[in-house]
Amino acid sequence: MSLDKDTVRRIAFLARVRVPEDALEPLVGELNKIIGWVEQLSEVDTEGVEPMTSVAEITLPLRTDEVTDGYYSNRVLANAPDNKGPFYAVPKVID
Amino acid sequence: MTALLTVLTIAKARDGLVAGDFSAEELTTAHLEAMGSKRDLNAFVTETPELALERARASDARRAGGDVRGAMDGIPVAVKDLFCTEGVLTTAGSHILDGFRPSYESTVTANLIEAGAVMLGKTNMDEFAMGSSNMTSYYGSVKSPWRGSEGQDLVPGGSSGGSAAAVAARVSMGATGTDTGGSIRQPASFCGIVGLKPTYGRCSRWGIVAFASSLDQAGPLTRSVRDAAIMLGAMAGHDAKDSTSAPFALPDFEAALTGDIRGLKVGIPKEYTLDGMSNDIQALWDDGVKWLEEQGAECQELSLPHTKYALPTYYIVAPAEASSNLARYDGVRYGLRVNGASIDEMYENTRGEGFGEEVRRRILIGTYVLSAGYYDAYYLKAQKVRTLIARDFRQAFEVVDVLLTPTAPTAAFAIGEKTDDPVAMYLNDVFTVPASMAGLPAISVPAGLDADGLPLGLHLIGRPFDEETVLRTAEALETAAGFTARPDGVGA
Amino acid sequence: MAYLIQGETGGWEVVVGLEVHAQIVSQAKLFSGASTAFGAAPNNQVSLVDAAMPGMLPVINEYCVEQAVKTGLGLKAKINLHSVFERKNYFYADLPQGYQISQYLLPLVGEGTVTLGMPDGSQREIGIERLHMEQDAGKSMHDQDPNRSFIDLNRSGVALMEIVTKPDIRSAEEAGLFLRKLRSILRYLGTCDGNMEEGSMRADVNVSVRKVGEENYRTRAEVKNVNSVRFIQQAIEIEAERQVEAHESGAGVVQETRLMDSARGETRPMREKEFAYDYRYFPDPDLLPLDLTPDYVDAIAADLTELPDDKQQRFVTDYGLSAYDAGVLVADRETADYFERVTHATSEGGKTGSRDAKMAANWVTGNLFGALNAAGLSIAESPVSADALGKLLDLIADGTISGRIAKDVFEVMFETSRAAGDIVEEKGLKQIIDTAEIGTVVDRVITDNPDQAEDVRAGNDKTIGWFVGQVMKATSGKANPQAVNELLAKKLKG
């Protein structure tokens, strides 16, 4: 499988990373080189092998249902690039 | 006096502080002076001298009152800029975290503060820990204190390159690093110091800017194996705020350094012999085998058949996780915002400008391998191969106690090299990535110099949560190797 | 009779599946320790985890897991002992992480069933496809500023259950019945308060239509985030009509997400870019799989509260109620509990044992519901407690007052919260059962109205009713109606 310009444009939008039109072509080349290289995995026989999602051989820890956090909107908003009073502010979202 | 203080190991400084030979403030001052004289390395993004002196004085005051918090009390350390530090700029080496001052302290650095350690500053690093050269930092490349044979500037390795350079340059006694595919061990090897990646789950990930959650692990960079044991003891421990943190009691890592490796079974994985690997590396590896055998260990060749697939597996899994982990840098709640007419444009502008080239590349790769139609072929396949890689190690550890390999296929290279071919750059991590994929503890120990006089490391991999055997074996290598070389102009 | 839309080309069947997002009742959020309470100051019930600060990690709330398991059991569904949290990746202003932690391939709960009691007395089974746990997003406000949207993350990270039905629903009416039934089950279990106004229950509605007799489903459209039963029903009707027209005009239906505009009575497509959605689900590496033991699930099952269907059956069997009355009483757990308290007399100041259950049911669904509705009160706010109503029924049962007087007494009780006995005592409302006393009044009324008496004797039985009214009027309603009837019959016709 190899990526073309449209695919790169699509994944760049999915990832919300601006890629200037003139940068697409070289990027296609780089990404294809990496993808081509990782494709060597196809030669590994993984029939019946379970996928590994974590190396941690422990069970999921559960916490008790208690309110132990929050009530500090000042800390939540402290680094905001734009805010309006207690709200974060972003360019208008149109559904 | 001050020059002498900066060449001490942490263990020696502890003894000096106990004996009253010098104060924590004097120790810190000496290191702050060294920091000032080594600014050309660009090892720090942020220096925190006032904070350092304040903590050093607090340590002295505690000590005067008979309250000593252990071996790290009063010891100056550097902190990789991937650890969130309360009130102190935290950048992850990225433009996108411009101006970000966390209101919280990562668990690992909080543990260090609790142990009395003194933070000198935040070290430069590859952007979001993605890199093996420290050339991807928004804050510029870090120079290694070592120079090439013709005086050229070398990379310190990465991604914890600023931490490795600071420790090697005797600016800091130790430093925190993080290791996702080799980011502690490879720069340690390049800079001639010790770098320890503990077992996944040993150190809490809470408050560390995430790169690849299933791989990221914090650890120490130090100038001796004993120092690594001491510093790990202060960093590690179970943390209820990290669901993947191991709920195990911490052993006394320093006590594991018995100097006795008689009967230890050491595996030499044959797949780590690469075509075209330099003679220096092969010779050093052979020396390692000899040194361990001379001290009573039994070395045997064995096979880890899926080794060659670890690196491509890593370059699917890590970017996939990163593409999701880095989605939160969207210009809404912190860091850089580059405005746009709509919110999507704002996202695209912010992330297009805020992330550097390598980070953008990995985000796109990660997005691609998770996207509809490609998930099974890439991501799921990689997870299955990951199972096989881990199985190789598990089978090996039924036979041996520890594995010995080189840390990196080469010594440090010049700044600017290998930049036009991402895959060539990725090959730096060929020996360190397999242990990362299996979550195993591993250490790089400085063991010799190559023909150009540059440091080379040997690499030990242990069973899960058996850092003690790794450290004990590492100390045996360290003793036998007798590595005393220092970069020109550093120390004494 | 199935609900059909008559188009130009014939009858169309409506096919509906619902994805209900139900907020889990818990103190703290699913993966953080911030509070879930409704109505706090903006961004105040937000932890660093909920704001997706760098390096923050999720730790799951065990009570939320228990609540979801309980709900699964209440939906008669299979509990999956092994389930996995995955990340659903997309960018949105009020989704701080850039992904939602949800469950995808391996949800906590598998297939189940909800049974609907239809108005005609029949039953309909609606299949449940799955139930999974996930995080809620924050809230965006778009109407406060011409150029900006404002974000409040108080809801961000609150635990939700997404309950997905099979496409078994065939009309807006069925959708309404399903939602009410589901809400009733969730409220019984205490796992979701079902409060749609506060957004603790919302639904995405998948609608398609097909010609009568077609076996395959046609393309569906999803109407997002509809937050009342009425709007959901409205959305189904409007969207189904739109689709019938679209099919018949040849324009066709495209698979898309639409928004409900209830003010205009229409649905419209969401503005979205081409290829906007590819959620790139993958297991969340910050968490581990959720592995439950059979013992854990069994313990929750053993403790499970009686659910509406079982309670309805019991009310029919134990109390001899009609299925309909039992259904009305069990729809709401508090009503059912109230009814049962009325039925079971306590020893304190009254008789012990059971009261007449049918009479209790009539009083609860009749007088009490009427008064509560008129006053805009819920049963929990009723000024007449179950015990107080029970004692009123005792006064009827032992003949102290008539049913008619009881209604007056009840009105006073409802206004004043006073005890029935006190009101009867104070107002002298005790029933007259002494036949001699009633006979005197009856005689007087007959004597005073000879023409009407003659009318009765001529065979016009209806006029007896008029006499009853006169006697009751003369005794201020206190005469025992049965005695009045008997005496009038004897004296007029005997």
Side-chain angles (χ1 to χ4, degrees):
Chain A
M1 284 175 262
S2 80
L3 295 80
D4 54 21
K5 267 170 91 164
D6 280 347
T7 309
V8 174
R9 207 180 277 121
R10 184 177 64 87
I11 60 172
F13 177 71
L14 273 179
R16 299 297 189 278
V17 173
R18 166 89 62 228
V19 177
E21 198 60 27
D22 60 356
L24 268 177
E25 197 66 59
L27 193 56
V28 167
E30 285 168 23
L31 298 184
N32 270 323
K33 183 155 188 201
I34 296 168
I35 290 294
W37 171 70
V38 300
E39 270 176 3
Q40 60 181 293
L41 293 191
S42 60
E43 68 197 49
V44 184
D45 179 5
T46 51
E47 187 68 35
V49 177
E50 282 296 310
M52 182 183 223
T53 53
S54 175
V55 298
E57 291 183 347
I58 54 173
T59 53
L60 182 68
L62 307 163
R63 52 169 241 281
T64 53
D65 181 32
E66 289 167 355
V67 176
T68 56
D69 210 347
Y71 307 114
Y72 45 63
S73 57
N74 56 327
R75 287 174 69 192
V76 167
L77 293 158
N79 285 287
D82 186 18
N83 67 294
K84 166 81 175 181
F87 297 101
Y88 292 108
V90 298
K92 199 168 189 78
V93 179
I94 300 149
D95 280 327
Chain B
M1 175 68 185
T2 51
L4 283 174
L5 290 183
T6 58
V7 301
L8 297 178
T9 60
I10 292 171
K12 282 281 192 310
R14 165 185 59 185
D15 297 345
L17 287 166
V18 169
D21 296 344
F22 45 82
S23 67
E25 185 175 350
E26 287 169 319
L27 193 60
T28 295
T29 304
H31 285 89
L32 290 175
E33 282 170 13
M35 183 191 257
S37 69
K38 297 286 180 193
R39 287 214 176 92
D40 62 311
L41 299 181
N42 196 28
F44 287 82
V45 174
T46 305
E47 298 178 357
T48 54
E50 294 85 5
L51 192 63
L53 286 170
E54 183 188 310
R55 286 184 188 162
R57 287 179 196 129
S59 173
D60 285 334
R62 277 196 303 272
R63 195 176 293 274
D67 169 23
V68 181
R69 294 184 177 172
M72 291 301 292
D73 204 342
I75 301 295
V77 297
V79 171
K80 187 179 185 179
D81 211 13
L82 201 62
F83 293 80
C84 291
T85 42
E86 189 177 348
V88 177
L89 181 70
T90 298
T91 69
S94 182
H95 186 24
I96 209 160
L97 272 168
D98 272 9
F100 176 59
R101 286 172 197 278
S103 65
Y104 50 96
E105 187 78 30
S106 82
T107 298
V108 164
T109 49
N111 288 347
L112 282 170
I113 292 170
E114 184 58 32
V118 172
M119 181 174 80
L120 297 167
K122 306 289 294 289
T123 59
N124 203 346
M125 52 178 287
D126 280 300
E127 186 181 1
F128 281 104
M130 297 179 190
S132 311
S133 67
N134 235 285
M135 290 187 286
T136 72
S137 172
Y138 176 69
Y139 296 92
S141 295
V142 176
K143 281 191 218 169
S144 171
W146 297 83
R147 293 289 183 95
S149 54
E150 275 134 48
Q152 64 274 51
D153 286 334
L154 301 179
V155 301
S159 65
S160 312
S163 286
V167 173
R170 274 64 177 173
V171 169
S172 176
M173 308 199 89
T176 67
T178 62
D179 189 315
T180 304
S183 281
I184 288 174
R185 294 161 287 160
Q186 184 256 18
S189 177
F190 279 19
C191 289
I193 60 170
V194 174
L196 170 62
K197 181 197 92 75
T199 313
Y200 182 83
R202 190 60 109 177
C203 287
S204 169
R205 293 185 296 112
W206 194 89
I208 301 174
V209 173
F211 163 16
S213 310
S214 77
L215 295 153
D216 295 343
Q217 184 57 208
L221 294 108
T222 57
R223 290 193 297 269
S224 77
V225 172
R226 182 168 298 272
D227 287 2
I230 291 169
M231 194 164 163
L232 176 62
M235 294 168 67
H238 177 244
D239 181 8
K241 291 185 288 190
D242 174 358
S243 298
T244 62
S245 168
F248 305 145
L250 276 192
D252 181 342
F253 296 115
E254 195 182 1
L257 304 177
T258 60
D260 182 2
I261 58 160
R262 283 173 297 174
L264 184 81
K265 293 193 170 60
V266 181
I268 313 297
K270 62 181 182 192
E271 289 80 8
Y272 283 62
T273 304
L274 295 185
D275 291 343
M277 194 163 73
S278 82
N279 290 336
D280 292 337
I281 303 276
Q282 185 63 53
L284 185 73
W285 195 5
D286 294 341
D287 284 344
V289 171
K290 189 184 72 190
W291 292 332
L292 294 178
E293 284 180 340
E294 281 169 359
Q295 294 178 68
E298 298 159 20
C299 296
Q300 56 180 288
E301 190 181 86
L302 50 71
S303 173
L304 300 169
H306 296 92
T307 298
K308 71 174 277 207
Y309 300 110
L311 205 54
T313 302
Y314 175 85
Y315 275 95
I316 292 172
V317 172
E321 292 183 13
S323 71
S324 176
N325 281 336
L326 270 56
R328 66 187 56 200
Y329 305 101
D330 60 3
V332 175
R333 296 167 314 285
Y334 41 77
L336 180 73
R337 173 183 295 186
V338 181
N339 262 314
S342 68
I343 188 154
D344 276 335
E345 279 187 22
M346 186 277 278
Y347 290 148
E348 291 179 286
N349 293 342
T350 299
R351 294 165 59 79
E353 276 188 39
F355 293 132
E357 189 183 9
E358 179 63 20
V359 173
R360 289 199 305 267
R361 193 152 47 212
R362 294 201 200 185
I363 288 174
L364 294 181
I365 289 286
T367 304
Y368 179 66
V369 299
L370 288 174
S371 64
Y374 302 102
Y375 181 90
D376 287 1
Y378 295 112
Y379 184 73
L380 192 63
K381 180 78 182 181
Q383 282 188 312
K384 289 176 178 177
V385 178
R386 189 174 182 185
T387 301
L388 296 174
I389 294 163
R391 187 183 294 170
D392 284 355
F393 280 112
R394 198 161 48 246
Q395 286 166 356
F397 286 121
E398 285 167 11
V399 181
V400 298
D401 302 309
V402 70
L403 297 163
L404 175 68
T405 80
T407 306
T410 66
F413 46 89
I415 292 178
E417 269 181 45
K418 306 194 189 194
T419 47
D420 47 358
D421 183 355
V423 173
M425 185 67 89
Y426 297 169
L427 289 171
N428 267 295
D429 296 328
V430 67
F431 296 144
T432 48
V433 152
S436 297
M437 296 308 291
L440 302 172
I443 196 167
S444 178
V445 182
L449 299 174
D450 73 357
D452 293 328
L454 296 178
L456 297 171
L458 283 173
H459 185 222
L460 293 161
I461 305 167
R463 295 190 180 95
F465 300 102
D466 189 13
E467 285 86 359
E468 289 159 284
T469 299
V470 171
L471 286 161
R472 184 159 54 243
T473 315
E475 198 196 33
L477 282 178
E478 181 182 52
T479 305
F483 184 90
T484 53
R486 287 182 201 172
D488 288 344
V490 166
Chain C
M1 182 58 215
Y3 169 83
L4 295 176
I5 295 178
Q6 287 306 321
E8 287 169 12
T9 58
W12 293 80
E13 184 183 35
V14 183
V15 178
V16 176
L18 296 173
E19 293 168 20
V20 179
H21 299 263
Q23 180 181 329
I24 294 176
V25 171
S26 65
Q27 296 295 313
K29 293 181 179 179
L30 182 54
F31 294 113
S32 88
S35 169
T36 60
F38 180 77
N43 283 312
N44 206 35
Q45 288 178 169
V46 179
S47 76
L48 301 171
V49 176
D50 307 320
M53 291 290 166
M56 293 301 97
L57 298 171
V59 180
I60 197 167
N61 181 334
E62 69 178 344
Y63 184 64
C64 294
V65 175
E66 184 185 327
Q67 292 281 66
V69 169
K70 207 182 272 182
T71 306
L73 293 169
L75 300 175
K76 301 183 180 68
K78 177 174 177 285
I79 306 300
N80 295 320
L81 296 178
H82 177 75
S83 67
V84 172
F85 287 97
E86 304 204 28
R87 293 185 183 176
K88 178 181 185 180
N89 295 282
Y90 63 99
F91 285 86
Y92 201 76
D94 53 25
L95 186 75
Q97 294 167 135
Y99 55 84
Q100 175 194 37
I101 305 178
S102 182
Q103 297 188 301
Y104 185 55
L105 282 182
L106 299 169
L108 178 64
V109 178
E111 293 186 330
T113 316
V114 170
T115 306
L116 306 184
M118 305 301 288
D120 66 2
S122 67
Q123 292 196 329
R124 279 271 288 137
E125 302 234 308
I126 305 298
I128 298 295
E129 179 69 34
R130 59 186 278 160
L131 174 155
H132 67 253
M133 302 176 74
E134 62 185 26
Q135 305 174 290
D136 203 350
K139 204 172 135 193
S140 304
M141 274 143 283
H142 307 306
D143 51 3
Q144 318 261 314
D145 185 289
N147 303 314
R148 295 183 297 174
S149 293
F150 298 145
I151 314 294
D152 172 14
L153 298 179
N154 277 347
R155 294 192 67 94
S156 168
V158 167
L160 300 178
M161 298 177 280
E162 179 171 327
I163 300 164
V164 183
T165 74
K166 292 179 183 294
D168 289 350
I169 296 168
R170 290 290 172 273
S171 67
E173 183 195 18
E174 276 185 22
L177 287 170
F178 171 80
L179 286 162
R180 290 196 183 91
K181 185 61 175 283
L182 177 65
R183 185 164 60 184
S184 163
I185 293 170
L186 298 176
R187 284 177 171 168
Y188 263 73
L189 294 166
T191 57
C192 171
D193 67 20
N195 192 333
M196 296 188 103
E197 295 74 45
E198 291 176 5
S200 41
M201 213 172 124
R202 328 189 272 279
D204 298 339
V205 189
N206 285 297
V207 181
S208 67
V209 295
R210 62 182 175 187
K211 296 292 285 282
V212 174
E214 278 179 6
E215 284 197 6
N216 293 330
Y217 298 124
R218 296 198 179 200
T219 306
R220 66 191 156 86
E222 183 182 26
V223 187
K224 270 249 184 264
N225 240 343
V226 200
N227 62 2
S228 82
V229 173
R230 194 165 62 84
F231 286 159
I232 288 165
Q233 292 182 306
Q234 198 186 358
I236 291 169
E237 281 169 1
I238 291 168
E239 180 56 20
E241 300 256 0
R242 184 190 72 82
Q243 290 185 15
V244 167
E245 272 178 40
H247 283 303
E248 291 190 335
S249 72
V253 171
V254 290
Q255 183 155 354
E256 64 183 353
T257 305
R258 300 178 71 87
L259 288 176
M260 173 74 192
D261 186 337
S262 38
R264 290 190 180 185
E266 62 179 31
T267 68
R268 56 182 166 84
M270 263 176 90
R271 287 164 55 112
E272 51 191 318
K273 287 200 183 182
E274 198 189 350
F275 52 69
Y277 291 101
D278 180 343
Y279 291 125
R280 291 160 283 136
Y281 282 97
F282 74 107
D284 190 332
D286 287 333
L287 293 164
L288 299 158
L290 178 61
D291 287 304
L292 306 176
T293 63
D295 286 353
Y296 172 86
V297 177
D298 290 348
I300 294 174
D303 248 12
L304 208 64
T305 190
E306 184 183 37
L307 289 166
D309 287 351
D310 298 328
K311 202 181 279 283
Q312 182 182 16
Q313 190 53 52
R314 184 166 61 80
F315 281 12
V316 169
T317 311
D318 289 7
Y319 300 126
L321 301 185
S322 70
Y324 178 81
D325 281 349
V328 171
L329 287 170
V330 304
D332 174 32
R333 184 179 182 166
E334 283 172 328
T335 306
D337 288 350
Y338 186 103
F339 160 75
E340 288 210 271
R341 273 202 305 280
V342 175
T343 307
H344 293 284
T346 59
S347 57
E348 189 206 340
K351 63 171 189 171
T352 55
S354 299
R355 297 191 176 108
D356 183 332
K358 282 186 191 170
M359 184 160 78
N362 287 338
W363 271 87
V364 171
T365 58
N367 302 61
L368 179 67
F369 276 12
L372 288 173
N373 273 343
L377 295 174
S378 75
I379 198 154
E381 299 161 325
S382 171
V384 179
S385 72
D387 286 341
L389 180 58
K391 282 172 192 159
L392 176 66
L393 301 196
D394 290 344
L395 295 179
I396 302 169
D398 67 13
T400 305
I401 55 173
S402 67
R404 205 196 143 285
I405 288 289
K407 286 176 187 169
D408 298 339
V409 174
F410 177 79
E411 276 178 30
V412 179
M413 290 170 75
F414 198 86
E415 278 164 29
T416 63
S417 292
R418 291 174 61 207
D422 294 351
I423 296 165
V424 169
E425 196 64 42
E426 182 191 290
K427 301 203 177 211
L429 298 174
K430 256 189 166 164
Q431 182 167 240
I432 305 164
I433 44 173
D434 177 357
T435 44
E437 193 182 338
I438 297 170
T440 312
V441 180
V442 168
D443 288 344
R444 196 178 68 234
V445 171
I446 292 171
T447 314
D448 290 352
N449 299 284
D451 293 352
Q452 284 82 350
E454 194 52 43
D455 198 26
V456 174
R457 290 190 189 101
N460 192 348
D461 282 356
K462 279 185 184 166
T463 310
I464 291 187
W466 181 84
F467 272 103
V468 172
Q470 293 303 305
V471 174
M472 296 308 280
K473 199 173 163 189
T475 59
S476 305
K478 291 183 289 186
N480 178 303
Q482 204 185 340
V484 172
N485 272 312
E486 282 170 12
L487 284 168
L488 277 170
K490 194 166 84 187
K491 289 179 194 270
L492 286 169
K493 303 179 87 177

